[in-house]
Structure formats: C-alpha cells, structure tokens
Amino acid sequence: MAKKPDQKILVIDFGAQYAQLITRRIRECKVYSEIVPHTIKAAEIKTLKPSGIILSGGPASVYLENTPTVDTDIFKLGIPILGICYGMQLMAHLIGGKVTKTGQNEYGKTTLTINKNNYLFKHLSPKQTVWMSHQDSVVKAPPGFKKTALTPGAPVAAMENRTDKLYGVQFHPEVNHTEKGLDILKNFLYEACNCLPSWTTVSMIEEAIIAIQKEVGKNKIICGLSGGVDSAVAALLVHKAVGDQLTCVFVDHGLLRKGEAEQVEATFRQHFHINLIHVNAKKRFLSKLDGVTDPEKKRVIIGEEFIRVFEAEAERMENVDFLVQGTLYPDVIESGTKDAARIKTHHNVGGIPLDIHFSLVEPLRLLFKDEVRVVGEELGLPEEIVWRQPFPGPGLAVRIIGEITEARLEILREADAIVTEEIKRAGLYREIWQSFAVLPTIKSVGVKGDKRSYAYPIAIRAVTSEDAMTADWVRLPYEVLEKLSARIINEVPNVNRVVYDISTKPPSTIEWE
Ligand code: XMP
C-alpha cells in the first residue's frame, strides 16, 4: 500500500460523477484528496484525521425516500466541511435549514452576486460566473449561518457558519465553467482548512518510494512491462525505491507495434539500467495462433500463453515474493476493494488474468492517470511512453481480422506506424483516445502503375473517448486522411486501398475484433 499524505481532504460521494472531479481539482491545488462513501461513520472520519471534508453533488433530492445521506455527527467534529450542490442542500436539510423545489431550475452558467465579508469568496469580485445544475434550492439557511451569495434562481446560493466551520455552495466550483472555481476551492483549502499546497509531484514520488521500501524490505520483486505508461511508471518508482531487487519481465508476443520492443529495451535496460528479462516468445505465440480466426479464441490463447511465459520467468528467478501492479485510483474506487493483499486469480498484468501467488505492490493506487503521466515525466520517461495511447493486451492480434501470419503482421505494423506518425505530425495524438490501423480479410482490385492489383485494404480507426465505454470517430482533417491514404498505399506492400471507419461506440466497438 502506498503511504497516504498526512494532510488530506475527504470527498464524501453522493453518487454523481462530480466526486472524482472534485478530488482531482483539490489535488491540482496541491492538497491530497480521496473519495469515501457517504455511508462512512463520523467516528471513522475522526480516525482518518482529515483537514477538511467536502460533500459532493449528487443526483438525488433531499426529501426523496432512500436518498443518500450522511452521519449527522460529522457536523459536530469541528472539521471544516464544504457542501457542494446536493451536498449543501443535505447539510441545510440535516441541521435546520429549509430546502424546496422553487420551480426555478438553473442549468448552466449564471451570475452569482456575493455578499461582503465571507471566507470562501475572499479576494473575488462581487459578481462571478458560476455553473449550476439544480432543481431544489436552499430557501432558508440553518441557524447560525449567513447567506453569502445569491443567484436569480437560488436565494441562498452560498452560506457559511464560520464558528462551526461549515460552508455550502449551490453551484459547482469544480467545473471549468465556474470561472473562479479553483480560487473558491483554494479559499476553502488554505483559509478554512489551513492546508498548505504541499502535495506536489516530488512529494508523491517521495511518499511512494518510502512506502515501497517499507513494504518490500529486502525481498525480490517482479514487474511485467507492457510498454504502456502505467506499468512503466510503476516499474520506475519501484526501481527508485529498491534498485536491483526489481526485475522487469517484458513478454514480447510478437503482436506489438513497430519499434515497441526496441523502445522498452532502450528505455529500461540501457537508459535506466533496470534488470530486464526480454522474453522473445514470438514463435511460441504465432504457432499457437496458427489458423485461429475467432477473436475470443485469439484472446484466450494469448492470455493463457502470457501467463505461462510470465510464470516460467518468475519461477526461474527464485524467492520472488512481490509483484508490481499498475492499479490506478479510479480502479480502486470502482472495485471498492481497499488494501487488496495476496492475489490468487483474475488479476491483471497487462490486462491479462494471472493465476499466481504474490503479494501485490501497487505504487499508483492513489493516483489518477494524468498524475501518473506527470510522475512519469518527472522520472524522465520518454514522451512516447508517457503519452502512449491505450493498446489492448492481445495487441495487433485483434486488429488483424482472421488469420494471423508473419506476413499479415508486417503489413499491419507498417500501416499502423504510418498512422501514428501522421497523427503525431498533425499534432492530434494526445487529444485522440486511440488511433490505429486495422487489416481486414478481404481483398479488392486496384491499379498500381499500369498493372492490375488485387490486395488488402487498410481501415483507419481514430476515436475520442473518456473511458472507452463510449467513443466517437474523430473528424480528421481531409489533409491528414489524404496523407495517410497516399502513404499507406505507396509504402506498404500488398495494400491498394484505405478506408476510414466512421462508426461510434455503441453500436460498434473501438477495436474491430
Ligand atoms: P472495445 O473494442 O471493446 O475496446 O470498444 C475498449 C477498450 O479496451 C481495449 N481492449 C482490450 N484491452 N485486452 C485489453 O487489454 C483486450 O482483449 C481488449 N479488447 C479491447 C481497446 O483497445 C479499447 O481501449
């Protein structure tokens, strides 16, 4: 387990999508923050010793039955609390204020008028643009509170009780549309909670290193490298902490993109001098995949082979007790399994289930993806790894429709390299979730020079997405499409046509298989 910073803000989650965003914004203010469920008891909060608490927004209305609520004793802990939207309404409802449906719903931007003398809006001008999303409103602040701001639709758009350290805002300071949202959060953090902006990338790294050293001791530890950013950053942190006790295992299944294996070698062995076992298992994987066309069978075969190869390497290195896992904070929140200890089955290494007995070390389990990238940059990882788009564990196997052969892999690898190169050249790589080439089974007729050709098409897929659950195709500029088509047809043998995939997910998926 990564060590937690001493100073922290707890965000109590009432089930909206806002809790993660609030947490990230607080961290942007250089204060560590984490999410807890609304069922948490005041006594437990006390033991966690937070510097402050935020009650998040939520989809519910305070008077509905079974609406999410919170242990009212938290208001007596003397810990500063900020309620946001539903969080403020709940605070008002629970401690003697009045919340009603006024009929004046507010969605989107509105103007906030601020009263003088208050903590949250210190140094802000009296009119502010804020973002609202509510049907209910606090119409009477609880006893001891004063109204600190109003909007056309909310008579109590903000309130505070400085004696009891309780604050509320009806709008959402965490969204970008609230222009001074970060300043308002900073006032809560630095003024009301007395926090210092001390949670920086350097402190994240230092804390992670101390925690890993404590956990691993003098034992040996193994890490599967996939070439992606999470396993790379996790490996570097562990290496900084325990040096040569770490061995990285890179299973090259022959289904990687052009230059990927070489880059892992150059980065980890040559640049960082990390013990690296590079298993060249291309032949083994290709022979198992020989003649297999069913996508799910491909996945199963690759998954199983991966485990075999990884286990064999782990067994060869005697006395290994620990396994590095690149779990991120959103996975921890979703699974709700805090402090996972000894694993048996169905844990992921490079997205593949691993049936192996190790203690897990998860140096990224407190971090969001963007924080992992910042840490990666700070540790000196090359940009291509830090900003690499997601890549499926089974690799190019699920982008070659039908049979996988060396020759077909070569075609796809070359075409894919051109896609990546041109997307990067156009400055679009980071804003696109995934962009890649796909090789179908069909062939079509063309003319190259004066000759008839009968060759494969290449499909280009480029999507934007937040989390891979839904995706939209990218409106790539025509010049980029033109360049891609010309280069792929001219430079990749056996290809005479390029098509662009304009399907959304759902109903399509991102990958073709
Ligand atoms: P789909 O194709 O389902 O993909 O829209 C959603 C996301 O998951 C990735 N993906 C995989 N990742 N093993 C993985 O580790 C797999 O078998 C696999 N299949 C799809 C895909 O690249 C996209 O980011």
Side-chain angles (χ1 to χ4, degrees):
M1 252 301 283
K3 177 180 172 288
K4 297 189 177 181
D6 297 332
Q7 208 182 41
K8 64 173 162 288
I9 299 292
L10 295 183
V11 177
I12 298 187
D13 183 5
F14 291 103
Q17 72 275 33
Y18 298 113
Q20 283 202 31
L21 189 57
I22 297 169
T23 307
R24 287 170 58 177
R25 289 283 179 264
I26 296 168
R27 291 179 180 199
E28 273 173 41
C29 302
K30 300 189 170 37
V31 176
Y32 176 71
S33 168
E34 62 182 67
I35 297 175
V36 292
H38 66 85
T39 47
I40 192 166
K41 292 279 167 246
E44 191 184 345
I45 289 186
K46 208 170 161 188
T47 62
L48 294 171
K49 297 198 183 96
S51 307
I53 298 169
I54 292 188
L55 309 178
S56 85
S61 176
V62 291
Y63 2 80
L64 293 178
E65 254 181 69
N66 300 325
T67 195
T69 187
V70 73
D71 183 350
T72 47
D73 286 347
I74 68 163
F75 299 111
K76 298 177 197 148
L77 291 172
I79 299 169
I81 301 180
L82 171 64
I84 294 178
C85 193
Y86 178 79
M88 159 164 147
Q89 293 168 8
L90 188 67
M91 179 191 285
H93 179 67
L94 293 175
I95 56 176
K98 191 160 184 248
V99 182
T100 59
K101 220 175 257 317
T102 57
Q104 284 187 296
N105 306 343
E106 279 179 306
Y107 293 103
K109 285 186 188 175
T110 186
T111 301
L112 183 81
T113 306
I114 297 169
N115 298 333
K116 281 191 190 138
N117 282 332
N118 60 72
Y119 242 35
L120 282 188
F121 306 115
K122 213 170 165 181
H123 308 306
L124 264 63
S125 51
K127 295 269 182 208
Q128 291 294 325
T129 302
V130 299
W131 197 81
M132 289 280 209
S133 173
H134 70 114
Q135 288 185 331
D136 296 351
S137 292
V138 175
V139 289
K140 190 168 141 275
F145 277 73
K146 65 175 189 179
K147 291 183 265 182
T148 52
L150 59 98
T151 66
V156 187
M159 59 183 199
E160 66 184 42
N161 175 345
R162 229 182 278 184
T163 317
D164 293 341
K165 304 181 188 163
L166 302 176
Y167 306 82
V169 289
Q170 178 58 63
F171 59 89
H172 288 272
E174 72 278 17
V175 304
N176 284 330
H177 306 297
T178 297
E179 286 167 6
K180 298 286 179 189
L182 264 191
D183 292 313
I184 296 165
L185 285 176
K186 282 179 184 168
N187 280 340
F188 176 67
L189 299 172
Y190 307 153
E191 304 279 340
C193 304
N194 281 319
C195 286
L196 294 172
S198 57
W199 203 62
T200 59
T201 317
V202 174
S203 71
M204 278 182 230
I205 294 173
E206 281 168 359
E207 276 159 15
I209 288 172
I210 293 168
I212 296 163
Q213 286 168 338
K214 216 166 136 192
E215 205 173 343
V216 176
K218 295 278 169 226
N219 291 298
K220 284 195 204 167
I221 177 162
I222 190 169
C223 175
L225 282 181
S226 68
V229 60
D230 301 343
S231 63
V233 173
L236 279 187
L237 278 174
V238 173
H239 184 250
K240 261 191 161 289
V242 297
D244 281 348
Q245 286 163 245
L246 170 73
T247 300
C248 289
V249 177
F250 172 56
V251 178
D252 183 354
H253 48 29
L255 306 162
L256 296 167
R257 290 164 289 189
K258 189 174 177 179
E260 218 166 345
E262 292 78 0
Q263 191 180 37
V264 169
E265 277 282 334
T267 306
F268 292 92
R269 197 195 304 279
Q270 285 151 28
H271 183 72
F272 288 109
H273 306 291
I274 293 178
N275 293 327
L276 176 69
I277 301 177
H278 179 162
V279 191
N280 186 341
K282 289 180 193 176
K283 287 218 168 76
R284 184 170 169 164
F285 277 84
L286 280 189
S287 84
K288 288 271 176 187
L289 288 167
D290 191 25
V292 178
T293 55
D294 179 77
E296 287 314 299
K297 277 197 187 129
K298 286 181 185 175
R299 280 194 171 81
V300 170
I301 291 170
I302 295 165
E304 280 179 8
E305 269 325 276
F306 190 94
I307 295 163
R308 299 268 144 70
V309 175
F310 195 89
E311 274 179 340
E313 292 308 321
E315 266 165 39
R316 226 192 299 277
M317 295 168 46
E318 288 158 9
N319 308 325
V320 181
D321 286 317
F322 290 89
L323 172 72
V324 183
Q325 184 95 339
T327 319
L328 304 187
Y329 191 50
D331 307 327
V332 175
I333 304 167
E334 259 161 48
S335 66
T337 53
K338 284 189 177 171
D339 305 320
R342 216 166 170 87
I343 54 158
K344 288 198 175 138
T345 56
H346 295 293
H347 281 262
N348 288 320
V349 169
I352 292 164
L354 187 63
D355 187 8
I356 211 165
H357 297 250
F358 287 117
S359 289
L360 284 186
V361 173
E362 299 177 309
L364 313 179
R365 61 179 283 128
L366 300 181
L367 304 184
F368 288 104
K369 188 89 173 184
D370 43 357
E371 293 167 336
V372 171
R373 290 203 160 110
V374 176
V375 169
E377 279 175 338
E378 182 75 29
L379 293 173
L381 259 188
E383 195 187 324
E384 297 94 88
I385 294 183
V386 170
W387 289 98
R388 181 157 280 170
Q389 293 173 353
F391 187 59
L396 299 181
V398 289
R399 293 179 180 172
I400 292 183
I401 313 307
E403 209 173 331
I404 300 159
T405 63
E406 292 253 30
R408 301 192 78 214
L409 269 168
E410 200 44 41
I411 294 172
L412 183 61
R413 209 173 267 132
E414 288 305 315
D416 190 72
I418 294 171
V419 173
T420 303
E421 213 176 295
E422 291 302 329
I423 294 284
K424 281 187 177 168
R425 189 169 292 161
L428 299 170
Y429 187 78
R430 286 193 194 182
E431 67 197 64
I432 289 177
W433 175 264
Q434 280 173 292
S435 46
F436 54 88
V438 177
L439 179 62
T441 35
I442 53 161
K443 287 186 174 178
S444 72
V445 175
V447 279
K448 257 191 179 175
D450 282 340
K451 278 199 188 141
R452 176 186 190 275
S453 69
Y454 189 56
Y456 291 116
I458 282 287
I460 296 168
R461 182 83 165 131
V463 295
T464 48
S465 176
E466 289 289 323
D467 52 8
M469 300 301 288
T470 60
D472 193 11
W473 57 281
V474 181
R475 274 56 172 176
L476 284 177
Y478 280 160
E479 308 80 69
V480 176
L481 287 169
E482 186 180 359
K483 191 86 198 238
L484 283 172
S485 161
R487 279 197 63 194
I488 291 171
I489 293 171
N490 284 322
E491 296 174 32
V492 185
N494 250 316
V495 173
N496 65 357
R497 195 176 291 274
V498 168
V499 297
Y500 188 45
D501 181 347
I502 52 167
S503 333
T504 55
K505 174 183 180 176
S508 300
T509 51
I510 295 175
E511 304 291 347
W512 274 36
E513 280 202 335

